Amino acid sequence: MLPIIILIPILQLLILSYTATFEIKNIRLVVVDHDHSPESRNLINKFSGSKFYKYLGQKDTYKEAENSIAKGTADQVLVIEPDFEKNLLTERKGNVQIVTDAINGSAASLMAVYAMSIINDFNGNILVKKLPLKFKGIPVKTDSSFWYNPDLNYITYMVPGILVLLITIIALFLSSMNIVKEKELGTIEQLNVTPITRFEFIAGKLIPFWIIALVDLFIGLLIARYWFGIIMAGSPLLLVFVAAVYLILVLSIGLFVSSLTETMQQAMFISWFVLVVFILMSGLFTPVESMPLWAQKLNLINPLAYFIKINRMIMLKGSTFSDFHNDFYILAGYAAAMLTFSAIKHRKTS
Amino acid sequence: MSVTINIKNLVKTYEKVEALKGTSLQVKPNELFGFIGPDGAGKTTLFRILTSLLLADSGTVTIDQWDVVKDYKKIRKITGYMPGRFSLYMDLTVEENLQFYARLFGTSIKQNYDLIEDVYEQIAPFKHRRAGALSGGMKQKLALSCALIHKPRLLILDEPTTGVDAVSRKEFWELLKKMQKKQMTILVSTPYMDEAALCDRVALMQSGKILSLDTPQQIVDDFKGNLLSVKTQNMYPLLKDLSAFEEGIQVYRFGDTLHLVSHYSPEKTKSDLTEYMTGKGYKDISIEPVTPVIEDCFLALMNNTTDA
């Protein structure tokens, strides 16, 4: 069992970190060029040259292009109007149409943004090349730089979050399953007639999992550093300290689940339910800021949300304790309350 | 060293089932006391209350001067409990299980080895084997060792021989007899009637009530009526026909024969019954007077209560 507990999270970290990315690459693009002019070719070259696009070629009619979206062989269609170049030069306005497969909404909006940025870029070039005299320059030039993750590298962003997720799974499942397993096998009956106290029992149950989860975290941090090359900006000791407190909270929730349930199946179901809600709301995959207000409020009781936030702050921003002390105190208070509550709930006599 | 147990008016109800209906009894020090009864008689419930695992709805239990609810901590220290289900860790070895329980009670195998020696030496050859891989009889011996490791003054065994082969059952009871000599009060429950005779006193239980409580010998002596064992070539309709037989008070299946209780002398009943059965067309009739055993007493008592 121990090798599995250590090995599985490592595999998950390696797999998930590469796959859980928001970047969209290889957008399959079909072009319907009604103009066939040098300018339309330039525009097409802009697209096919982009690292986000995979240029599939041209179709003669819009109908055919639409069909390839319908069949799922293309993600986006670029339609260039007849006399695109002529209009551009005479009326200073050329029309193109972008059609995007929006089955996956968030992917579609990203694809649309990519297309817009390429067209904007193209616009800028035209203004410079074709209309040098009229061009007064863009009054405000926006140039973005991204802090804490300069390359907008999703791996850098995801790895700390996934790490949190993995130690949470380990801690929650091991603790909730373990005591229920004793109930199911009847071994708890024999333990209950011994003089060990409730707190000794709980400590004996939680401490091993606490250590295992911390070891997993440590291994995960090594992988983040030496495999993914994420150099931790903040103090690793601080991170481990916060994790230690956070794990007490997760283990207490596991203990609480196992005091509510009688069989492993029930415990499994409740743990999964709690975990999935916590994960999806935590801000790991979608930003908390874009959730409705009530969901953001609900995150006040989501341990995962606190720890993912603190973890990213330490790992990527190099935050120190004073930067997140409020979140930490909430986490610590929450852990203390939950542990006490679960311990009281777990009674030896029925 | 060993303890006295006082049980008074114990009532326990689970949602709809009354598991114990006002049970009262007293167990003397150093007694080997048996609870005999079918599944669902309330034996396990009683034991779970005695071991402070369950709270009774009403009634009291005292073990020596200690109340089972108030002084549960003291009682847990002096009680060895062996639940009906094998409750040790399957993934620990025999020795590890024993060490674990020894340490829970703050003692060591060495310290109390003299007490468990008789039991443990029988499983010692397998001490490095995982408990899950032991046979039923050996599991029970391991469980007994674990229940004994802290030198309990009260040993409570819930159906220790259920699902154990006949040879191991016999060995197990021999071990219990040895334990009794080491100053322990022993409570044991069993669904096997033949094991009742091995106890000092037994309580026959059914549906949360004690039907009879006495020494096994006294229970047998109290059996009212004469007992005949009846066998014939066609047993199937016989039960119905014998129930209609006037001299019989009770008829019940006993192994592959039927037992008939009668108030008349065995000779008279035998000749009347032979005539009655021949009249009904039975062949190969064999009717023997038999001495009652505990099971007869139990079945007789059980039928009385259901009639009433």
Side-chain angles (χ1 to χ4, degrees):
Chain A
M1 189 62 187
L2 200 59
I4 302 174
I5 298 174
I6 301 291
L7 205 65
I8 294 279
I10 293 175
L11 280 177
Q12 278 177 306
L13 183 64
L14 291 176
I15 295 170
L16 285 179
S17 300
Y18 282 113
T19 51
T21 154
F22 301 123
E23 278 183 325
I24 300 201
K25 283 179 184 159
N26 305 322
I27 303 169
R28 292 162 304 172
L29 180 76
V30 169
V31 176
V32 185
D33 185 357
H34 293 302
D35 191 34
H36 294 288
S37 64
E39 272 320 323
S40 70
R41 252 194 314 279
N42 273 345
L43 181 60
I44 295 168
N45 284 344
K46 274 254 173 228
F47 273 94
S48 61
S50 157
K51 68 169 177 173
F52 298 110
Y53 279 89
K54 194 177 162 204
Y55 177 51
L56 293 184
Q58 296 200 14
K59 297 278 187 221
D60 294 331
T61 64
Y62 174 68
K63 198 87 205 137
E64 281 174 66
E66 203 184 56
N67 267 340
S68 41
I69 284 193
K71 277 185 283 183
T73 54
D75 300 312
Q76 213 168 38
V77 174
L78 170 69
V79 188
I80 301 170
E81 64 167 354
D83 302 328
F84 171 69
E85 191 183 46
K86 196 177 129 207
N87 290 345
L88 200 63
L89 294 175
T90 56
E91 294 169 32
R92 296 179 202 165
K93 197 173 112 192
N95 289 323
V96 295
Q97 184 187 22
I98 299 283
V99 179
T100 308
D101 177 5
I103 282 204
N104 179 340
S106 57
S109 53
L110 266 178
M111 289 192 274
V113 168
Y114 288 156
M116 286 310 295
S117 72
I118 288 174
I119 291 166
N120 276 341
D121 196 27
F122 177 78
N123 263 343
N125 282 348
I126 303 246
L127 291 170
V128 176
K129 267 197 251 159
K130 305 285 175 186
L131 308 161
L133 296 174
K134 303 268 167 62
F135 182 57
K136 300 272 196 314
I138 302 166
V140 178
K141 188 162 172 276
T142 333
D143 197 2
S144 318
S145 73
F146 299 96
W147 282 28
Y148 312 124
N149 185 3
D151 307 326
L152 276 187
N153 182 344
Y154 275 99
I155 287 182
T156 308
Y157 178 70
M158 291 309 287
V159 165
I162 291 172
L163 212 50
V164 172
L165 186 66
L166 293 180
I167 61 166
T168 308
I169 295 176
I170 293 268
L172 184 63
F173 274 65
L174 289 184
S175 63
S176 67
M177 290 295 137
N178 192 278
I179 297 171
V180 163
K181 186 182 166 197
E182 297 235 7
K183 280 191 195 171
E184 219 173 72
L185 292 178
T187 48
I188 201 156
E189 189 102 320
Q190 189 90 62
L191 273 186
N192 280 349
V193 292
T194 67
I196 61 163
T197 65
R198 192 194 298 174
F199 288 96
E200 282 169 341
F201 176 75
I202 289 169
K205 282 293 169 198
L206 297 192
I207 290 171
F209 299 135
W210 187 71
I211 293 172
I212 289 171
L214 282 176
V215 167
D216 272 330
L217 175 69
F218 181 72
I219 295 172
L221 288 175
L222 287 182
I223 292 174
R225 171 67 188 83
Y226 293 104
W227 181 269
F228 293 111
I230 301 170
I231 296 164
M232 207 195 284
S235 151
L237 270 180
L238 184 62
L239 180 62
V240 171
F241 171 67
V242 178
V245 173
Y246 168 73
L247 282 171
I248 293 175
L249 172 56
V250 177
L251 289 167
S252 309
I253 295 174
L255 181 67
F256 180 62
V257 169
S258 67
S259 68
L260 285 179
T261 51
E262 289 302 319
T263 66
M264 297 222 267
Q265 199 176 21
Q266 292 167 351
M268 182 76 136
F269 181 78
I270 294 181
S271 302
W272 259 120
F273 177 78
V274 168
L275 196 66
V276 167
V277 172
F278 279 173
I279 289 172
L280 290 180
M281 296 192 63
S282 66
L284 177 60
F285 295 112
T286 47
V288 176
E289 290 76 13
S290 61
M291 293 174 193
L293 199 64
W294 60 265
Q296 294 190 28
K297 290 266 186 271
L298 217 57
N299 259 334
L300 289 175
I301 59 157
N302 185 351
L304 223 73
Y306 290 100
F307 191 46
I308 284 183
K309 192 171 149 198
I310 295 177
N311 188 21
R312 278 178 179 157
M313 283 173 86
I314 296 176
M315 282 186 79
L316 305 180
K317 264 190 184 174
S319 301
T320 54
F321 185 74
S322 56
D323 295 323
F324 56 78
H325 65 274
N326 273 339
D327 283 333
F328 176 77
Y329 292 138
I330 295 174
L331 204 59
Y334 195 178
M338 197 70 205
L339 183 62
T340 317
F341 180 63
S342 312
I344 292 168
K345 184 91 178 61
H346 173 82
R347 289 191 176 277
K348 286 177 93 175
T349 43
S350 52
Chain B
M1 266 300 274
S2 56
V3 294
T4 314
I5 303 170
N6 251 309
I7 301 173
K8 271 186 204 144
N9 291 321
L10 215 52
V11 177
K12 175 75 194 177
T13 312
Y14 298 108
E15 293 180 16
K16 280 178 188 154
V17 188
E18 269 189 298
L20 291 174
K21 300 171 181 166
T23 308
S24 299
L25 63 100
Q26 200 176 48
V27 182
K28 296 172 198 156
N30 208 19
E31 199 170 22
L32 176 53
F33 194 97
F35 289 89
I36 320 288
D39 294 341
K43 296 172 296 192
T44 302
T45 304
L46 181 62
F47 281 7
R48 286 173 57 91
I49 292 172
L50 282 175
T51 48
S52 73
L53 285 170
L54 201 67
L55 293 174
D57 297 341
S58 65
T60 55
V61 181
T62 49
I63 294 176
D64 272 1
Q65 73 273 33
W66 294 315
D67 181 83
V68 91
V69 181
K70 267 186 288 175
D71 308 308
Y72 73 94
K73 281 185 181 160
K74 284 185 188 109
I75 287 170
R76 281 178 184 169
K77 283 204 181 89
I78 58 153
T79 310
Y81 175 48
M82 195 175 140
R85 241 167 102 199
F86 182 69
S87 302
L88 301 174
Y89 293 94
M90 302 279 192
D91 46 358
L92 293 184
T93 66
V94 169
E95 203 179 19
E96 285 165 343
N97 265 304
L98 197 57
Q99 269 166 358
F100 178 64
Y101 282 98
R103 285 184 63 184
L104 283 183
F105 285 96
T107 175
S108 67
I109 300 181
K110 227 180 191 173
Q111 218 173 329
N112 290 329
Y113 191 72
D114 58 314
L115 190 70
I116 60 160
E117 195 178 0
D118 292 324
V119 197
Y120 190 61
E121 69 184 4
Q122 298 186 17
I123 46 171
F126 311 101
K127 65 180 177 185
H128 297 301
R129 192 184 284 188
R130 287 185 174 201
L134 292 176
S135 70
M138 289 210 277
K139 272 182 187 158
Q140 293 309 79
K141 281 171 197 161
L142 174 59
L144 182 60
S145 309
C146 290
L148 287 170
I149 193 66
H150 59 292
K151 244 184 175 149
R153 292 156 61 191
L154 167 64
L155 187 60
I156 298 181
L157 309 162
D158 192 3
E159 302 200 0
T161 51
T162 300
V164 171
D165 65 273
V167 177
S168 299
R169 265 170 66 186
K170 193 163 164 283
E171 285 174 356
F172 198 89
W173 275 92
E174 280 163 10
L175 285 171
L176 288 189
K177 285 279 183 196
K178 278 188 187 169
M179 289 307 133
Q180 197 190 359
K181 291 198 185 89
K182 294 177 179 170
Q183 291 301 306
M184 252 179 254
T185 304
I186 302 178
L187 301 186
V188 59
S189 75
T190 176
Y192 300 119
M193 305 287 168
D194 55 327
E195 290 180 350
L198 302 166
C199 302
D200 294 337
R201 285 198 303 159
V202 292
L204 299 183
M205 285 185 82
Q206 195 204 6
S207 325
K209 273 186 186 156
I210 293 179
L211 302 179
S212 169
L213 194 159
D214 221 320
T215 61
Q217 193 52 51
Q218 196 57 47
I219 287 180
V220 173
D221 290 348
D222 285 349
F223 187 79
K224 290 179 186 68
N226 295 303
L227 198 62
L228 292 167
S229 164
V230 186
K231 214 175 162 179
T232 180
Q233 101 287 7
N234 186 7
M235 295 297 284
Y236 181 66
L238 186 62
L239 185 65
K240 208 177 164 194
D241 285 335
L242 284 196
S243 305
F245 179 60
E246 286 164 3
E247 287 175 36
I249 306 164
Q250 269 182 350
V251 184
Y252 47 82
R253 288 194 185 83
F254 193 93
D256 58 351
T257 66
L258 288 182
H259 276 186
L260 179 97
V261 187
S262 145
H263 282 323
Y264 297 91
S265 74
E267 292 75 27
K268 177 178 162 37
T269 316
K270 185 177 173 177
S271 61
D272 289 350
L273 185 56
T274 315
E275 199 178 305
Y276 174 77
M277 283 172 66
T278 321
K280 291 268 178 191
Y282 288 98
K283 293 189 179 76
D284 303 330
I285 301 164
S286 128
I287 301 169
E288 296 297 330
V290 283
T291 36
V293 291
I294 292 263
E295 189 164 355
D296 290 299
C297 305
F298 184 76
L299 290 169
L301 288 165
M302 215 166 85
N303 288 340
N304 280 345
T305 44
T306 33
D307 292 346

